[in-house]
Amino acid sequence: KNIKKFKLHPVQILSLGFAIVILIGAILLSLPISSVDNNYTNFLDALFTSTSAVCVTGLITIDTGTYWNAFGQCVILMLIEIGGLGFMSLTTFIAVLLGKKITLRDRLIMQEAMNTFKIEGLIKMLQYVLGFTIIIQLAGAVLLSTQFIPQLGLSKGIFFSIFHSVSAFCNAGFDLNGNFNSLTGYANNSIILLTLSFLIIIGGLGFTVIIELYNFQKKKKLSINSKIVLLVTGTVIIIGTILMLCFEYKNPETLGMMNAKDKLLNAYFAAVTPRTAGFNSISTDSMSMAGKFITIILMFIGGSPGSTAGGLKTT
């Protein structure tokens, strides 16, 4: 009787689920099979990396590109995808594929996970979300592969393209470029920076907004939430770009030595990525105090409700 009385609230189930995913990820990353030198990894570093990946934060204590081998990087990639989309979304989708019945309790947990106001049409929405996610991530990977494959070769170039596409869409900020350099080596590559920035923005809009935009031609209207999300997102990106351009324009360690096109491109990227992702194409450490302050504000604002992004939220 006591066991039957003990029922977890949807929020508690979600919290417990994420904690279990983080712990499993930490255990896998701590094993010799995950590191380049085939040695055990300090469990605290493995736990931090797993937490950062699942919570799509992007902070690291160990260099992702040089310390982890292909298996370890694949574990991180899966943790990012689970964290970005939500483990409940993935488990429910698998249950649907297997033909299992989705109970009311499952739908209530899904409602909490996806931050929606109603449970009606949740499963259909989930199918839209996962289908859209796969299409966008594959499209991003294809665009990135045009740059990574010529530089790194076929197999490594494809893996780099998929990893960075998923990391950007899920607003995780993990990269494989090594030596904690993030994207500073691609500061003049407009295809890579624009592709990643679009993935970051789309992932940070929120799935309900994306679905409303998809159905806009039929319904010809957007909810108040979607209008605010689009307005604030656009405004923050434009103002952030202008301020970054002003504050870093003459800084020789960031934008100062670039041509006009690259200055605008990197100022735009510096305005997009801190809000939700965590990549950087110019040295954050070398920014002026004003540039760092704007970065802090953008990080504080973050993305939108029901998205892969964190922060206070645009609404």
Side-chain angles (χ1 to χ4, degrees):
K1 287 181 180 180
N2 289 333
I3 292 172
K4 287 181 179 179
K5 286 179 182 178
F6 183 73
K7 287 186 178 181
L8 293 174
H9 188 273
V11 173
Q12 294 171 318
I13 294 174
L14 291 172
S15 301
L16 183 62
F18 273 108
I20 292 170
V21 171
I22 288 169
L23 183 59
I24 293 172
I27 292 170
L28 289 173
L29 291 175
S30 67
L31 299 175
I33 193 175
S34 297
S35 63
V36 171
D37 57 10
N38 293 318
N39 290 328
Y40 283 99
T41 300
N42 179 285
F43 187 74
L44 187 59
D45 286 320
L47 181 63
F48 187 92
T49 303
S50 180
T51 305
S52 183
V54 173
C55 297
V56 289
T57 305
L59 295 173
I60 52 173
T61 56
I62 297 174
D63 188 58
T64 312
T66 56
Y67 183 84
W68 307 108
N69 60 19
F71 177 80
Q73 290 168 355
C74 284
V75 170
I76 292 171
L77 181 63
M78 290 303 299
L79 293 173
I80 290 170
E81 192 77 280
I82 293 169
L85 295 178
F87 83 95
M88 194 62 202
S89 300
L90 295 175
T91 52
T92 304
F93 185 68
I94 292 169
V96 171
L97 290 178
L98 295 175
K100 293 189 175 182
K101 185 179 179 182
I102 308 301
T103 66
L104 176 61
R105 184 167 178 76
D106 293 331
R107 292 172 192 269
L108 289 172
I109 299 171
M110 277 293 302
Q111 180 189 19
E112 191 72 44
M114 300 189 75
N115 198 28
T116 59
F117 295 105
K118 56 184 180 179
I119 61 173
E120 183 185 357
L122 264 181
I123 304 303
K124 192 172 183 180
M125 178 182 175
L126 173 63
Q127 292 171 335
Y128 277 136
V129 165
L130 293 177
F132 176 81
T133 298
I134 292 169
I135 292 170
I136 292 297
Q137 288 180 351
L138 283 176
V142 169
L143 288 172
L144 292 173
S145 67
T146 63
Q147 307 301 304
F148 285 133
I149 290 177
Q151 178 190 355
L152 305 169
L154 184 61
S155 58
K156 192 174 181 180
I158 290 174
F159 182 69
F160 261 58
S161 301
I162 294 172
F163 187 97
H164 289 95
S165 180
V166 172
S167 182
F169 180 81
C170 291
N171 286 249
F174 279 79
D175 72 273
L176 300 177
N177 296 308
N179 302 313
F180 301 96
N181 287 326
S182 191
L183 300 174
T184 52
Y186 300 100
N188 60 349
N189 192 315
S190 57
I191 294 177
I192 288 180
L193 295 189
L194 288 175
T195 300
L196 292 177
S197 67
F198 292 155
L199 288 167
I200 291 166
I201 292 168
I202 293 169
L205 283 178
F207 294 119
T208 52
V209 176
I210 291 169
I211 290 171
E212 282 193 30
L213 289 173
Y214 178 75
N215 294 322
F216 182 72
Q217 280 193 327
K218 294 179 182 177
K219 297 185 177 180
K220 299 294 182 183
K221 65 176 183 178
L222 294 173
S223 66
I224 296 296
N225 175 71
S226 294
K227 289 177 181 178
I228 294 174
V229 165
L230 294 171
L231 177 63
V232 175
T233 299
T235 302
V236 168
I237 290 173
I238 292 170
I239 293 176
T241 301
I242 293 170
L243 292 176
M244 280 294 180
L245 197 59
C246 292
F247 295 145
E248 302 300 323
Y249 193 86
K250 293 184 179 180
N251 186 343
E253 296 185 64
T254 54
L255 303 180
M257 306 303 290
M258 298 179 182
N259 59 40
K261 178 179 77 77
D262 288 340
K263 283 182 178 181
L264 180 60
L265 174 66
N266 284 273
Y268 157 76
F269 194 77
V272 169
T273 184
R275 281 183 45 240
T276 55
F279 296 114
N280 62 286
S281 61
I282 57 175
S283 173
T284 309
D285 184 53
S286 301
M287 281 182 177
S288 64
M289 191 60 69
K292 290 175 183 175
F293 183 66
I294 292 300
T295 301
I296 290 172
I297 293 174
L298 293 171
M299 288 191 293
F300 182 73
I301 295 170
S304 303
S307 72
T308 61
L312 182 72
K313 302 293 186 285
T314 54
T315 54

